[in-house]
Amino acid sequence: MLELKNLSFGYEPQHLILKNISLQLGNNHQHVIGLIGPNGSGKSTLFLNLVGVLRPTSGQIIVDGQPVKYHKHNLQALRQKIGIVFQDSDQQLFYSIVQDDVAFALNNLKYDTTEIQRRVQEVLEELDIWPLRKSPIQYLSGGQKKRVAIAGILVLQSEWLLLDEPTAGLDPDGRKRMAQLISHLVARGQKIILSSHDMDFMYDVCDYFYLLNAGQIIAEGTKKTVFTNQQLLENNKLEQPWLVKLHQKLGLPLYNNAQELFDQHDSM
Amino acid sequence: MLSIDKYAYSNRWAEWSPLTKAGIWLGLMILAFQPLLWLKFSMLVCVAIITVRITQVSWRQYVKWFYAILPFLFLSILGIVFTVSQQKQDLLIACHLGQTYFGLSKTMLPVGAKIGIQAFSAIIGTYWFALSTPFTQIISLLHRLHLPDNLIEITMLMYRFIFIFIESCEQIYHAQKLRFGYDTIGLTLHSSGILAQMLFQQVIVNYRKMELALAAKLYDGEFRIS
């Protein structure tokens, strides 16, 4: 369980980017937590605080009941527990060949070679990129690079996975595969926090939401509570997903995802 | 120049052992620098034909790859054969300024031609190696030669990031060109300056992003190379 207690952060103390945030992540009913908010609302800064890259100006982050400590070995442990994948894949792939890059974090932890090979193979197969294991990274598509970047963190088998804008720059197929990947990971027990401006995507994959604006949590709740409040979303420069619009404007039932709607339609 | 990299991965000899290829390359260098001119010349022709065959590149493209190098070669040879003399008969094509003649030296011309062929054969041989050997094989070769890990690490990172650097350079260049940034010489100078400045700024920003990603992957100051 991750807990933020009165967390504030600013590069300068008089200009806070995150203001007095308190929340608990990882209650029983939360598997994929969505962080939504307009540009500059503090989503990425919150992520960087969670992995200990940035240190809160005040307040605390508590992981499994223990406050985060900022010594080198504590941070190593924290980053094995909470993995993060950034938006720009090119900036986080350092090796020229896929399998070397995916093994990077495990090499840093000095795992033995057989264990590294086993985990790399497992993750590459899980992400459906095993055939690309020997490919040069510069010739992969955006979607493939994104998968390699995620694989590089998944090998750590961290309890939490933070995904910053995972669908940015992906084509519709890449976006669909990302949604499938997230539900696959969740099904095998991975806890995920993701941020995105793609409201339809977020509505489809997340089961709990936090709305962040100007460094404060404006609202939180399930799909239903957050997305049915049109005024709230518009005030925060966001949009309702099309499934919610169908529900509110055309009076259709509120479906959890597009598949549910089409399945319903087929059975009629 | 980067298309060379693609051919290196897809040519017919890509799977050959890097040690064999390095051995052949060494042999080609010896052939290029041995004294027999006819042998240099036959090596040059054969290797060029083999290179085009195994990479299946068009002759036109193959010749284009030499455009970057030929001016240097030409200038170096010019430096050898161009000379100043008091006697006209020493020179092949001469023009005079007062009592002094400028032109191509008769004695140096064969030397210049020999060095030219030598350098060109060596370049052809090296292009064959570059076009037939994927980068990963070059890294494993450096390993087998027991070169220092730091050197191999830097080589690997440069290779990885040169593509990103060229890509952003191209993006900025196209954006400038589409807004007429290179229409006149003055504008070209101005736009090139902005391009250099933007690339520098991007390097700094990208460095920061890389640092974050390295922290997420528990980087401890060393890139391990298998």
Side-chain angles (χ1 to χ4, degrees), chain B residues 37 77 80-81 105-117:
Chain B
L37 201 63
I77 294 168
I80 296 169
V81 297
S105 154
K106 279 182 185 166
T107 47
M108 291 309 280
L109 210 55
V111 179
K114 192 182 152 204
I115 292 178
I117 298 248

Side-chain angles (χ1 to χ4, degrees), chain B residues 156-223:
Chain B
M156 185 200 78
L157 288 174
M158 276 171 63
Y159 173 78
R160 167 78 189 101
F161 285 97
I162 202 159
F163 290 91
I164 298 173
F165 186 78
I166 288 179
E167 201 177 300
S168 52
C169 184
E170 271 177 353
Q171 278 171 0
I172 300 169
Y173 175 76
H174 288 312
Q176 288 179 320
K177 200 171 179 185
L178 286 169
R179 286 188 281 157
F180 319 106
Y182 290 90
D183 277 8
T184 65
I185 294 177
L187 283 172
T188 303
L189 284 175
H190 184 67
S191 299
S192 318
I194 295 176
L195 177 77
Q197 181 203 340
M198 284 187 68
L199 282 173
F200 182 71
Q201 285 170 350
Q202 282 193 2
V203 166
I204 305 280
V205 173
N206 290 343
Y207 166 73
R208 180 73 193 129
K209 283 188 188 168
M210 258 182 73
E211 261 192 324
L212 297 179
L214 283 170
K217 291 188 181 187
L218 310 159
Y219 177 62
D220 63 352
E222 195 186 340
F223 282 94

Side-chain angles (χ1 to χ4, degrees), chain B residues 24-25 27-34 37-50 117-118 120-126 128:
Chain B
I24 297 178
W25 177 78
L28 293 177
M29 288 305 107
I30 293 170
L31 282 178
F33 289 97
Q34 54 73 40
L37 201 63
W38 66 269
L39 198 56
K40 284 184 213 283
F41 201 74
S42 0
M43 169 244 160
L44 187 156
V45 175
C46 290
V47 174
I49 293 173
I50 290 173
I117 298 248
Q118 197 156 295
F120 200 60
S121 320
I123 293 166
I124 293 248
T126 307
W128 165 80

Side-chain angles (χ1 to χ4, degrees), chain B residues 81 83-94 101 103-109:
Chain B
V81 297
T83 193
V84 178
S85 173
Q86 301 298 327
Q87 272 111 31
K88 199 181 173 187
Q89 64 268 27
D90 287 351
L91 302 174
L92 196 66
I93 304 162
Y101 289 89
L104 303 179
S105 154
K106 279 182 185 166
T107 47
M108 291 309 280
L109 210 55

